[in-house]
Amino acid sequence: MKKLLVILIVFSFACSKDGGRTCWDCEVTRLDRSNYYQKVCNDGSYPKFKDSQGNKLNSYCSHR
């Protein structure tokens, strides 16, 4: 029984390798309407993207 408990504890920490952060798979649309994909891990807020000039970019993100 003790071995099973130790295995479960180790497994639970192994699954939370992102430190409890929320990870997202995002498709971001540039101003020229081309797309790129980016993976983001953060505190749980929906990711927001800007280009190098500070323009807001549209994106669609889903939980990983």
Side-chain angles (χ1 to χ4, degrees):
M1 186 66 159
K2 289 182 182 181
K3 288 181 182 180
L4 179 62
L5 181 61
V6 171
I7 291 171
L8 289 176
I9 290 171
V10 170
F11 183 71
S12 67
F13 283 113
C15 289
S16 63
K17 64 183 176 185
D18 291 318
R21 300 181 315 170
T22 302
C23 292
W24 306 83
D25 289 322
C26 298
E27 179 180 3
V28 183
T29 304
R30 296 181 184 103
L31 293 178
D32 66 358
R33 300 202 185 268
S34 63
N35 295 333
Y36 69 94
Y37 297 90
Q38 186 166 345
K39 295 180 180 182
V40 178
C41 292
N42 63 14
D43 61 358
S45 60
Y46 195 83
K48 296 178 183 176
F49 298 91
K50 292 183 179 181
D51 64 10
S52 59
Q53 286 80 34
N55 299 310
K56 293 181 182 177
L57 300 177
N58 292 328
S59 63
Y60 172 76
C61 300
S62 59
H63 287 278
R64 242 195 279 168

